[in-house]
Amino acid sequence: MASEDITKLVESLAKTKVGGGQLSFKGQSLKLNTAEDAEEVIKQIEEFDGLEALRLEGNTVGVEAAKVIAKALEKKSELKRCHWSDMFTGRLRSEIPPALISLGDALITAGAQLVELDLSDNAFGPDGVRGFEALLKSPACYTLQELKLNNCGMGIGGGKILAAALKDCHRKSSAQGKPLALKIFVAGRNRLENDGATALAEAFGIIGTLEEVHMPQNGINHPGITALAQAFAINPLLKVINLNDNTFTEKGAVAMAETLKALRQIEVINFGDCLVRSKGAVAIADAVKEGLHKLKELNLSFCEIKRDAALTVAEAVEDKTELEKLDLNGNCLGEEVCEQLHEILEGFNMASVLGSLSDDEGEEEDEDEEEDEDEEEDEDEEEEEEEQKQLEERGAEEQESLTPKKIIDSQASTPVPSPPVDVATFLAFPSPEKLLRLGPKCSVLIAQQTDTSDVEKVVATLLRISSVFKDEASVKTAVHETTDALMKKAFSSATFNSDAFITNLLVHMGLLKSEEKIKTVPSLYGILMTLNHMVQQDYFPKSLAPVLSAFVTKPNRALDSCSFARHMLLQTLHQL
């Protein structure tokens, strides 16, 4: 390490905050790669008697530096709070698990009894959960009350590993007579989806002591929401439920409403941008009216709620004397209903609790349209569930019908294929399963059938392909290969306008305004992850990278909901 670098580090460490058993290096932008880089940090740790809280947020810690910091922590048995969010900036994902393992092993060796563990804003993905899995299962976490894993990109796999670790921790701690009593759980922006949420719901049901659950922006639909609702019902101390920007629909909203009726301590309900729609809102209003006397905040914004349902919600809060905020912004009410809401709440002497309605979508013409939309959506979901069920049943029946002789004979035979899918079917109704069922030639087929001289068609096809992106290896490979075939063909064409392509793509992503009314993609996760792969390929014009980077860097609500994918893409663009 150069002498000037050491000087800078010492100056930075001079800002270190010490007090109340806490040692803080927060926000000092320390780049700790080697053992030498970490010498001053280690000295501070070693010389701190009675260390109870260590803040490492806003720095970047490499594998070697983590090892020596861990060595210093092995003697800190009084450590209770680890504020370790955003401490791997610029690190490869492969570096994070070994660093976490070193730090976790040190806490176990020290005999620490943690109360809070915060690893938020570390883009470690599913593998990163393995890095602190052993710590979660150890006696060091039997006393854990707050677990914060916001914006870590855990995915379904990471969610399942985390859930299993929490259940193991509860089982082991219970055997010692002091069951894990987790109070606060935070895991927003992690792409947990239904399977990850359902796995965690099972753990929550076993723990039973939760007071706050924050799981916004996780791509959870009604099956996962229903599982969480059932788990919340057996956590009677719950005060805060934040599931913002997931997709309840009526089924999930009704299940959650039933749970709310059983909870007595609820103070904050954040179901904003959750598509509860009118029927779901009425069910939630009924739950609010029946109880929830400690309610302070109710957020049902941007949920496609219409006139009568919104008024029902307002009427339900009449006797909620502790209510501080009712958010119904961004729904489909119209000016007249907005005025009625104000009048109702004024009548209760509660006008001040109503939040802004500046983003109201206006009253829709036909109240029955929502019923049609709900029915269509339910039918689609039921068809998917039924199709999956039939496939499973068919496989089970075939397995049961095989005698030992048939099993031997069948080893040389071809399995019964799934119903065939063509390119047009996939592009009309994209799904991971359909892409895989196109077979090994899917990339060639889609590229052949796309007119790459038409920028609009190329963008539309790319968005459909990327919409089915999943972390599952087979799906990810299929998406990448299909994207490569399409875009290599497009960019190699002399008539293809690269600038028009990037402009058109940004418009469809909602990152660039257009004079025409363009329907933007509902989620940017798939296209961001696909672009992260695309920009690394030889066929991608490097001249487009600065343009892409500029727009992805700008503040944008849709991008905020996919911060892990956004971070990955920006990191890749920066390295080009």
Side-chain angles (χ1 to χ4, degrees):
M1 192 181 220
S3 59
E4 57 269 23
D5 292 332
I6 294 174
T7 303
K8 287 179 183 177
L9 178 59
V10 172
E11 288 174 355
S12 181
L13 288 171
K15 301 173 186 175
T16 300
K17 295 178 181 178
V18 179
Q22 173 176 283
L23 178 61
S24 175
F25 301 95
K26 182 178 179 179
Q28 295 183 17
S29 301
L30 303 175
K31 295 181 180 179
L32 308 178
N33 298 316
T34 65
E36 186 182 3
D37 294 342
E39 281 180 0
E40 288 294 329
V41 173
I42 293 164
K43 183 182 177 184
Q44 296 263 7
I45 292 172
E46 288 177 340
E47 293 178 355
F48 196 110
D49 292 329
L51 180 63
E52 295 184 6
L54 178 62
R55 307 196 77 104
L56 293 173
E57 311 103 305
N59 299 291
T60 179
V61 181
V63 176
E64 293 306 312
K67 285 180 181 177
V68 292
I69 291 172
K71 195 71 179 172
L73 291 175
E74 287 180 358
K75 297 176 183 177
K76 300 298 175 181
S77 61
E78 295 177 28
L79 188 62
K80 291 180 174 62
R81 298 184 183 274
C82 297
H83 302 280
W84 294 350
S85 64
D86 188 24
M87 62 178 243
F88 296 111
T89 305
R91 300 288 169 187
L92 297 173
R93 275 176 63 175
S94 59
E95 293 181 82
I96 301 176
L100 287 173
I101 288 170
S102 296
L103 294 166
D105 287 349
L107 298 177
I108 296 169
T109 301
Q113 294 186 314
L114 295 184
V115 172
E116 179 179 359
L117 177 61
D118 186 356
L119 292 169
S120 299
D121 300 314
N122 290 310
F124 47 59
D127 293 339
V129 185
R130 293 285 188 200
F132 60 94
E133 179 185 17
L135 173 63
L136 277 181
K137 293 179 178 181
S138 76
C141 284
Y142 290 178
T143 50
L144 196 63
Q145 294 180 16
E146 301 180 30
L147 179 58
K148 300 174 182 178
L149 299 165
N150 201 54
N151 190 31
C152 293
M154 291 189 290
I156 294 170
K160 288 181 176 179
I161 296 166
L162 175 61
L166 288 172
K167 288 191 287 184
D168 193 70
C169 180
H170 187 271
R171 178 179 58 80
K172 289 178 179 176
S173 58
S174 297
Q176 293 195 3
K178 292 185 178 179
L180 171 68
L182 192 66
K183 293 181 180 180
I184 298 174
F185 179 83
V186 181
R189 299 181 183 178
N190 270 294
R191 298 296 300 177
L192 294 169
E193 300 182 17
N194 289 331
D195 289 349
T198 300
L200 285 166
E202 188 178 336
F204 296 162
I206 291 169
I207 294 168
T209 55
L210 288 166
E211 295 180 12
E212 294 186 22
V213 175
H214 302 263
M215 295 174 66
Q217 300 176 356
N218 269 299
I220 308 170
N221 299 325
H222 77 81
I225 297 297
T226 300
L228 288 171
Q230 291 168 349
F232 293 165
I234 42 182
N235 279 266
L237 302 177
L238 264 174
K239 296 178 182 177
V240 178
I241 302 176
N242 177 6
L243 294 173
N244 189 286
D245 201 5
N246 289 291
T247 307
F248 281 43
T249 64
E250 183 190 347
K251 290 182 181 178
V254 168
M256 195 59 72
E258 285 303 307
T259 285
L260 290 174
K261 291 177 182 178
L263 299 175
R264 294 288 177 266
Q265 305 301 320
I266 289 290
E267 296 178 2
V268 176
I269 298 171
N270 187 344
F271 297 159
D273 209 5
C274 283
L275 203 66
V276 304
R277 291 192 171 140
S278 293
K279 291 181 182 177
V282 169
I284 292 167
D286 288 343
V288 171
K289 192 170 186 176
E290 287 184 22
L292 306 186
H293 296 294
K294 296 184 179 182
L295 189 64
K296 293 180 179 178
E297 181 178 336
L298 175 59
N299 185 346
L300 294 174
S301 60
F302 299 93
C303 281
E304 294 192 5
I305 299 169
K306 297 181 183 175
R307 180 186 62 243
D308 293 343
L311 297 175
T312 302
V313 171
E315 289 165 355
V317 303
E318 179 179 1
D319 62 344
K320 310 307 165 195
T321 55
E322 295 189 32
L323 191 69
E324 296 171 1
K325 185 175 182 181
L326 172 62
D327 193 345
L328 290 169
N329 198 19
N331 286 298
C332 312
L333 308 180
E335 189 175 338
E336 184 181 337
V337 176
C338 289
E339 289 177 4
Q340 285 182 272
L341 288 174
H342 281 287
E343 289 171 6
I344 289 171
L345 291 166
E346 277 178 6
F348 301 154
N349 198 25
M350 297 172 69
S352 62
V353 307
L354 185 62
S356 169
L357 296 170
S358 59
D359 292 320
D360 183 62
E361 296 288 336
E363 185 176 8
E364 293 189 9
E365 291 180 11
D366 190 355
E367 192 76 24
D368 294 332
E369 281 180 16
E370 182 186 339
E371 293 181 12
D372 295 338
E373 288 171 0
D374 281 342
E375 286 171 10
E376 284 174 15
E377 186 173 272
D378 291 343
E379 283 171 11
D380 290 341
E381 289 170 349
E382 285 165 11
E383 280 175 16
E384 286 178 16
E385 290 169 6
E386 186 62 30
E387 184 180 344
Q388 183 62 33
K389 187 177 178 183
Q390 287 174 357
L391 288 171
E392 290 171 359
E393 287 174 353
R394 186 191 306 163
E397 286 169 6
E398 287 170 0
Q399 187 64 35
E400 288 172 6
S401 67
L402 291 173
T403 62
K405 182 177 183 304
K406 285 179 180 176
I407 290 172
I408 295 168
D409 293 341
S410 69
Q411 288 177 351
S413 65
T414 305
V416 178
S418 298
V421 172
D422 58 20
V423 171
T425 303
F426 166 72
L427 292 177
F429 305 100
S431 74
E433 293 74 22
K434 286 175 187 166
L435 182 62
L436 295 176
R437 277 160 55 189
L438 279 172
K441 293 184 179 179
C442 65
S443 57
V444 177
L445 291 170
I446 290 176
Q448 283 177 345
Q449 295 185 39
T450 303
D451 180 5
T452 51
S453 65
D454 188 330
V455 167
E456 182 72 38
K457 287 181 180 176
V458 172
V459 169
T461 303
L462 175 62
L463 290 172
R464 286 182 172 86
I465 294 166
S466 64
S467 71
V468 306
F469 180 91
K470 290 174 72 175
D471 287 324
E472 227 173 83
S474 58
V475 177
K476 185 191 294 186
T477 300
V479 169
H480 286 172
E481 289 178 352
T482 309
T483 299
D484 289 342
L486 172 69
M487 299 314 304
K488 190 173 183 181
K489 178 185 174 186
F491 285 126
S492 62
S493 171
T495 58
F496 189 72
N497 188 327
S498 299
D499 292 334
F501 164 77
I502 200 71
T503 300
N504 198 291
L505 180 61
L506 290 169
V507 167
H508 280 83
M509 289 173 69
L511 305 183
L512 182 63
K513 290 184 179 179
S514 170
E515 292 180 4
E516 300 175 17
K517 191 171 182 180
I518 300 290
K519 186 177 181 181
T520 58
V521 291
S523 170
L524 294 180
Y525 180 76
I527 186 61
L528 289 172
M529 294 301 283
T530 304
L531 283 169
N532 185 49
H533 167 79
M534 264 178 62
V535 299
Q536 299 177 63
Q537 309 311 307
D538 292 337
Y539 61 72
F540 186 81
K542 296 299 181 276
S543 61
L544 299 182
V547 179
L548 189 57
S549 180
F551 280 92
V552 175
T553 306
K554 286 182 178 180
N556 183 282
R557 186 181 175 194
L559 284 171
D560 289 343
S561 66
C562 303
S563 53
F564 170 71
R566 178 193 207 175
H567 170 78
M568 294 290 289
L569 176 56
L570 287 173
Q571 193 172 40
T572 301
L573 289 167
H574 181 69
Q575 292 169 356
L576 290 178

